[in-house]
Amino acid sequence: MMIVESLLVGAISIVLLIDFLLIILWKPKSPEATKETPPLVSVLIAARNEEQTIQRCLDATLQLNYPSDKLEILVGNDGSTDATYTLARAYAKKYPHIKVLNITETKGLARGKANVLAHLASIAQGDYYFITDADTAVPSTWIHAMLEGFSSNTAIVTGVTGIQHSYLQNTDWLFALGMVKVITDLNQPVTSMGNNMAIIKEAYLSVGGYENIPFSITEDFELFKQVRKKGYHVEQLFNTGVLAYSLPASSVHQILNQRKRWMKGAVQLPFSIVALLFFQALYFPGIVTLAIFQWKAALLLMFLKIILQSIFILRVKATLRMKTNPLKLAFYEVYSFLLSVSSSIFFLLPVKTVWKGRKY
């Protein structure tokens, strides 16, 4: 059993090393100065059965501190069977810079959300496309703060998204996005986030738009991959100016489908990143198995993991000026354990991913 125990301790130690490096490497960069002449920007919002959230989303866009004559809000209704279209149209009638399209046709290879965005981009007038979701509320500073992330060769800028009304889901998102930020700052960007991103029009058109790239349920990740192939740079911002808030998943089933959707994209990442995620995924099974042979060693390693991870999460939240009770992070560890195990099992089950009422 000594060999097994040694392997388990080694694998868990790698996870602890990763968490330690995350703490050391957490140095969010200060954005550059805002562009002097505000460019024309288009905000693209895909909406499917979002009658409970579309007004919150559009109200947030109306609070954007950006010249209205340089801003257009485009909403694509994706076959909603509720009042989403009616509610969005009411905004379009009242505010001339808001337009609502009823999407009924398929454009090229695009499907679902990607299809809606393909249609919206085809009529967008902006030099930059800002993309968010109908269940997300962006901050008033969003446009200006995101534009600060663009340099000469930057094609995509990603903001940071938290989760309202759920401490555990919010912590989980910020922990994951914090890791993405560190890796991106090491010039090894791994993805972009489709509810809080901006892409320069030139880069979007250079890959042919969503209608000409391979369809993926993780449409933001696919666009990211195609843009990176063109040699463009990607920037991940992490500050309050780009901090948007989404709403929490309403059920365990929705969380598992969300995770399965993300994991399908994760397996396409570079080997080095997949290896890091693999060791992270091994942590919980490893610590449980080690406890069978050496419970004291398992307890010590688990304690170190919680300490290191908590320090990193606290630094991430402090960057966003969020206050948190360190004691609550112990509850997050339990949540993370249950979510990791159930997500892994659900990912391996031969069932399709259900997203926005569609199966993929």
Side-chain angles (χ1 to χ4, degrees), residues 25-202:
L25 295 171
W26 181 254
K27 297 176 182 178
K29 296 181 294 185
S30 299
E32 298 176 359
T34 306
K35 298 179 183 299
E36 293 183 4
T37 303
L40 178 62
V41 303
S42 301
V43 177
L44 314 183
I45 305 170
R48 175 174 169 80
N49 293 336
E50 299 284 3
E51 65 178 7
Q52 301 298 322
T53 62
I54 189 64
Q55 291 174 295
R56 170 178 173 271
C57 173
L58 292 177
D59 284 342
T61 65
L62 291 175
Q63 298 301 313
L64 290 169
N65 58 1
Y66 199 76
S68 59
D69 61 332
K70 295 286 187 177
L71 174 68
E72 63 173 359
I73 313 295
L74 304 178
V75 182
N77 177 49
D78 185 17
S80 297
T81 56
D82 61 6
T84 298
Y85 181 69
T86 301
L87 292 172
R89 281 288 299 161
Y91 279 80
K93 291 178 180 178
K94 188 174 181 180
Y95 302 98
H97 66 296
I98 296 179
K99 299 177 183 177
V100 180
L101 276 72
N102 197 27
I103 309 300
T104 58
E105 299 179 353
T106 299
K107 199 173 186 67
L109 301 175
R111 300 290 184 275
K113 179 183 176 181
N115 182 54
V116 177
L117 294 176
H119 280 275
L120 295 180
S122 68
I123 66 165
Q125 300 297 308
D127 298 314
Y128 295 81
Y129 300 157
F130 281 67
I131 303 174
T132 188
D133 285 349
D135 63 354
T136 301
V138 297
S140 61
T141 52
W142 190 47
I143 303 296
H144 281 300
M146 292 283 276
L147 287 173
E148 290 174 354
F150 284 97
S151 58
S152 59
N153 194 44
T154 301
I156 296 177
V157 171
T158 307
V160 57
T161 303
I163 304 296
Q164 275 188 327
H165 314 308
S166 174
Y167 172 81
L168 294 174
Q169 289 186 46
N170 183 55
T171 300
D172 194 45
W173 274 55
L174 295 180
F175 176 47
L177 292 175
M179 289 191 290
V180 170
K181 170 64 175 172
V182 170
I183 296 171
T184 301
D185 286 350
L186 292 174
N187 201 31
Q188 297 294 324
V190 293
T191 191
S192 188
M193 180 175 291
N195 66 6
N196 191 345
M197 66 180 286
I199 180 170
I200 192 168
K201 180 178 183 178
E202 173 189 339

Side-chain angles (χ1 to χ4, degrees), residues 258-304:
Q258 185 183 67
R259 280 300 184 105
K260 187 166 186 174
R261 175 172 170 261
W262 293 347
M263 291 167 76
K264 285 184 176 180
V267 296
Q268 303 175 53
L269 293 170
F271 175 78
S272 58
I273 304 301
V274 172
L276 291 176
L277 294 175
F278 175 73
F279 278 108
Q280 289 279 4
L282 276 182
Y283 167 72
F284 286 118
I287 208 76
V288 171
T289 306
L290 180 62
I292 298 174
F293 306 111
Q294 295 283 348
W295 68 269
K296 290 183 179 179
L299 192 63
L300 174 61
L301 291 172
M302 184 174 67
F303 178 74
L304 289 174

